[in-house]
Amino acid sequence: MRRFNLAVLAALTLGAGLTAVPAHAGEGHAPLGIDNCTAGACHFDVPAGTYDVKVLLGGDADSSTAISGETRRSLLPATAAPAGERVARSFTVNVRTPEGEPTGVEGTPGLDLLIGGTAPALADIKVTPARHARQIFLVGDSTVCDQPGDPYSGWGQQLPQYLRKGLSVANYADSGESTVTYLASAQLWGTVQPLIRPGDLVLVQLAHNDKTTDEATYRANLETLVAGIREKGGEPVLVTPIVRRWFNSDGTLNNNTALLVNGLGVDHPAVIRSVAADNGVPLIDLTAKTKALVESLGTEGSKALYLYNEKRDNTHTSVHGATVYAGLVRDELLAQHLVPEGRVRAE
């Protein structure tokens, strides 16, 4: 297939169940372009690394196209193109094995993209190795990670859609991890630290699973992570954990369950704030921001952020909630000048 029929493509959705054409089908090295795509998916037979993706969107009819990839990462938000016009967009994507959670399944080798949206139309695509990309590494737990299946989603899984070419998210968050287990694992900290390059950002949000970690150990573990990031020339950013949706009778979240105070009385967000201040580390106070948002939405309106309706789960976020929370992280990255404004999508 050398070119999409744009009129047909605009009417197709991912539900068509089509499979991607292998990059090596029928020849030694197919070009990293639209020949590697079907109507609903693209597969590029590339090794692990960081890649720039440039797409040209639009067709004969009005269209709206969104792109996701690898383990359910949102890479490009819904983008409209009027009938007969073309809209160019670019983003940078991290390709790794395992492609989702570091302790999870390996996934499919290469780069896999899904072409979605209400009326998708992909006119052209080009994939090239990224020469000057800056990585944003994520160190976290299940509320951050690339969740493998619906209806779950971590905020790190939704963050890439807010970034333009030149910034790539390498999400090494993993379900069930505490500061203790993350530091001890060769698949986690033992893998992440050697990958950090000078100038890379490393966002750390670990607290939900430190249920039996005493305060001295928790503080020391955070300081170890900060020192290890700086040792490699990276820039650490400490992130307080998202709240649990656990309301008091007065409609507030002012309780230990909601605000991540463990059974030993360790106030995780307070310790994170203290470590950030003592070590001169930028802080994204996601606890305070998510608390304010959840309380403003109330007991009913906040259900959609979490998986209450689907799972009676007040800890893990839906795709909608993860997207909203990723937007809060995006806002703080901009407000604190941690990333260039021109590398971030405002929408």
Side-chain angles (χ1 to χ4, degrees):
M1 183 185 299
R2 306 300 285 184
R3 183 67 56 184
F4 285 116
N5 181 316
L6 295 174
V8 172
L9 177 59
L12 289 173
T13 66
L14 297 179
L18 298 175
T19 55
V21 177
H24 51 72
E27 42 190 353
H29 296 285
L32 299 180
I34 205 161
D35 287 355
N36 302 99
C37 302
T38 65
C42 303
H43 173 77
F44 300 93
D45 190 10
V46 296
T50 306
Y51 295 88
D52 291 331
V53 180
K54 182 177 181 179
V55 295
L56 194 63
L57 307 175
D60 297 333
D62 290 344
S63 63
S64 179
T65 307
I67 298 177
S68 60
E70 298 297 271
T71 301
R72 302 176 61 241
R73 301 180 216 163
S74 295
L75 300 171
L76 185 72
T79 303
E85 295 187 18
R86 302 291 182 269
V87 175
R89 292 288 186 271
S90 297
F91 55 88
T92 302
V93 61
N94 171 255
V95 176
R96 61 182 183 273
T97 302
E99 69 179 35
E101 294 182 89
T103 63
V105 298
E106 287 194 359
T108 305
L111 171 60
D112 288 283
L113 303 176
L114 294 178
I115 314 303
T118 56
L122 177 66
D124 202 4
I125 186 169
K126 183 180 181 182
V127 174
T128 55
R131 301 299 183 190
H132 305 289
R134 184 187 187 192
Q135 297 279 23
I136 300 178
F137 288 93
L138 302 183
V139 169
D141 53 37
S142 59
T143 66
V144 184
C145 74
D146 288 347
Q147 289 280 358
D150 284 326
Y152 295 89
S153 181
W155 62 255
Q157 201 163 20
Q158 302 301 324
L159 185 61
Q161 67 185 297
Y162 291 115
L163 307 178
R164 301 181 190 273
K165 178 183 174 182
L167 282 178
S168 173
V169 174
N171 191 351
Y172 282 85
D174 196 71
S175 293
E177 306 299 341
S178 66
T179 57
V180 176
T181 61
Y182 202 97
L183 280 168
S185 174
Q187 293 173 283
L188 299 170
W189 186 237
T191 295
V192 175
Q193 191 195 22
L195 296 175
I196 300 170
R197 299 173 301 181
D200 286 340
L201 282 181
V202 186
L203 276 58
V204 179
Q205 186 217 277
L206 286 168
H208 278 272
N209 299 300
D210 279 280
K211 298 173 183 177
T212 60
T213 309
D214 64 77
E215 183 168 338
T217 302
Y218 186 65
R219 179 181 294 273
N221 287 345
L222 292 175
E223 290 175 340
T224 297
L225 288 164
V226 167
I229 294 164
R230 285 176 166 168
E231 177 186 327
K232 305 297 289 187
E235 300 180 23
V237 179
L238 292 180
V239 183
T240 59
I242 67 170
V243 293
R244 296 190 179 104
R245 186 189 161 277
W246 200 270
F247 283 92
N248 297 328
S249 58
D250 63 359
T252 67
L253 299 178
N254 295 316
N255 60 76
N256 288 355
T257 299
L259 298 181
L260 283 297
V261 179
N262 74 10
L264 300 178
V266 180
D267 186 332
H268 293 106
V271 176
I272 295 169
R273 295 177 189 121
S274 175
V275 171
D278 291 347
N279 292 273
V281 176
L283 174 75
I284 295 178
D285 199 342
L286 207 50
T287 304
K289 290 186 173 297
T290 56
K291 178 179 184 292
L293 176 59
V294 170
E295 287 181 342
S296 72
L297 292 172
T299 56
E300 288 301 314
S302 62
K303 288 179 179 178
L305 295 174
Y306 292 82
L307 294 174
Y308 180 85
N309 294 322
E310 299 87 349
K311 302 284 186 179
R312 294 297 187 269
D313 186 335
N314 292 307
T315 297
H316 297 98
T317 48
S318 62
V319 171
H320 167 66
T323 302
V324 172
Y325 287 176
L328 297 177
V329 174
R330 180 271 316 269
D331 293 345
E332 281 298 297
L333 292 174
L334 280 174
Q336 298 189 43
H337 306 291
L338 295 169
V339 295
E341 185 174 348
R343 298 294 189 189
V344 180
R345 301 185 195 281
E347 67 271 15

